[in-house]
Each structure stands twice: as structure tokens, then as C-alpha cells.
Amino acid sequence: MTGLGYTLPALASVPAVVALELSWLRTGLFRRATYWITMLIVVGFQIAVDGWLTKLSAPIVVYDPDHISGVRYPFDIPVEDFLFGFALITATLLGWHHPLRRRDAPR
């Protein structure tokens, strides 16, 4: 690993979002099959689009090699993109579900 500028925040984002759900929000999102199906769909499109954008043979998006781990899989996609993608999509869904949970709670 040559740098941490993108890798370290990517690594920290996943446990931060998981901890947010498990310790504070408690929406039950991780227990829903629809969440995991959503994540599979997101990853499928992410592989197609991100693979095209970051392919080393003709990149549209270029990462500074000093700021990523250098691990690319599949199709030359930096693995950090999957970590940030998981955290971003999960945080967004948690934001949508948390207010609904409070609204639907018995009074």
C-alpha cells in the first residue's frame, strides 16, 4: 500500500455506517432481504460503470496511485470504490428508514 489518502477513509466508512445502524439508528435494515437485493443490484451496476470509467487501458477517471491501495478488482476498479459505495448507499437508506421508523412508532 503506497498511500492512505483514499484507502483509510474508505476502510473507516464501512464500520462507521454499520456502527451507526447497530448502535443508534436500529432500523433493522441489515435484516431485510430487500436491502441485500438492493446492494446486489448496486454492485452489479457499479461494476459495469466503474469498470468502464477506471479501466487502465483507457481510463476516464484516474486515481493518484499514492492515495489508493493499488488493489483493483474486477476490471481495474479500485477496491476502495466498493467500500465507499457500500457506505454511501447504506447511509442513504438508513437516512430514509430512520425517520419512517419514528413516524410509525406507537404513541
Side-chain angles (χ1 to χ4, degrees):
M1 185 180 327
T2 59
L4 298 176
Y6 189 54
T7 304
L8 193 57
L11 288 170
S13 68
V14 172
V17 169
V18 170
L20 178 69
E21 163 60 4
L22 297 179
S23 66
W24 185 52
L25 297 177
R26 297 185 187 134
T27 66
L29 188 67
F30 295 144
R31 292 189 304 265
R32 297 181 184 158
T34 53
Y35 166 75
W36 294 106
I37 292 168
T38 299
M39 293 308 289
L40 285 173
I41 292 167
V42 167
V43 167
F45 280 101
Q46 183 176 6
I47 289 171
V49 173
D50 208 353
W52 176 67
L53 290 171
T54 62
K55 64 184 174 227
L56 293 175
S57 61
I60 295 168
V61 176
V62 179
Y63 291 86
D64 184 338
D66 291 337
H67 294 284
I68 62 172
S69 66
V71 178
R72 291 175 172 260
Y73 181 83
F75 306 117
D76 301 328
I77 302 168
V79 294
E80 292 89 346
D81 285 3
F82 292 104
L83 299 172
F84 270 131
F86 171 85
L88 177 65
I89 298 300
T90 301
T92 300
L93 292 172
L94 289 172
W96 286 342
H97 284 277
H98 184 63
L100 294 175
R101 188 172 150 257
R102 282 190 278 145
R103 185 192 73 205
D104 294 338
R107 296 178 185 174

